[in-house]
Amino acid sequence: MGAKLSGSGGGRHAVDAMSEINVTPFVDVMLVLLIIFMVAAPMAAVTVEVTLPPAIAKPSTNPPKPVYISIQAGGSIYLGDSKTDLTTLGDDLRANIGQRNPEKERIFIRGDKDVRYGDFMGVMNMLQDNGFYSVALIGLEE
């Protein structure tokens, strides 16, 4: 904030506050930025001409849909949204993944917090018996 030493009223040493905004520093900063951008813009442009060859790349395939196994608290097992049981889980998994390699397939397991350990280990043993060795456990982030 600036101050006026001379002006109307108040005596010889009266100091009044200025109510005007000083825009000179703002204009100075804007002019400096304008000059910087005017100098830097031509440097950002590519001036070397090159004839690029066409890119012929095979389109990438979408990753396979993840396989989820859900275990409810009562021991019910679901593959995706369809109910299954421990005896048919391996066949249902193979039908679900199709021709993909079971050893490279990642299986995501969602288990209720009240699932018995024996039910969980039954699913894990069934996965290993059928060649599914990559398993990910899903939990809730807090």
Side-chain angles (χ1 to χ4, degrees), residues 69-138:
I69 295 177
S70 301
I71 309 171
Q72 289 184 329
S76 300
I77 301 171
Y78 288 85
L79 179 59
D81 291 332
S82 60
K83 189 170 183 172
T84 185
D85 60 0
L86 206 54
T87 58
T88 60
L89 181 60
D91 295 331
D92 293 342
L93 272 172
R94 289 189 187 280
N96 193 326
I97 67 167
Q99 299 297 322
R100 298 188 303 239
N101 185 0
E103 291 182 5
K104 295 182 180 178
E105 192 69 28
R106 176 167 289 183
I107 308 297
F108 295 93
I109 297 180
R110 300 171 52 229
D112 192 276
K113 66 179 180 177
D114 296 325
V115 169
R116 289 186 15 218
Y117 186 69
D119 295 338
F120 176 77
M121 285 307 296
V123 171
M124 292 293 290
N125 290 334
M126 183 58 68
L127 290 174
Q128 284 188 348
D129 291 343
N130 285 284
F132 295 94
Y133 300 116
S134 180
V135 175
L137 303 177
I138 298 177

Side-chain angles (χ1 to χ4, degrees), residues 4-92:
K4 263 197 261 190
L5 294 178
S6 64
S8 62
R12 183 174 172 179
H13 297 292
V15 178
D16 294 332
M18 290 179 52
S19 61
E20 301 168 1
I21 296 174
N22 189 0
V23 295
T24 304
F26 176 72
V27 172
D28 289 344
V29 169
M30 289 298 117
L31 287 174
V32 168
L33 288 174
L34 178 66
I35 292 170
I36 289 172
F37 286 127
M38 288 174 59
V39 170
M43 291 181 198
V46 178
T47 58
V48 177
E49 291 186 25
V50 176
T51 305
L52 296 174
I56 303 173
K58 295 179 183 178
S60 63
T61 59
N62 291 335
K65 183 179 175 186
V67 179
Y68 291 98
I69 295 177
S70 301
I71 309 171
Q72 289 184 329
S76 300
I77 301 171
Y78 288 85
L79 179 59
D81 291 332
S82 60
K83 189 170 183 172
T84 185
D85 60 0
L86 206 54
T87 58
T88 60
L89 181 60
D91 295 331
D92 293 342

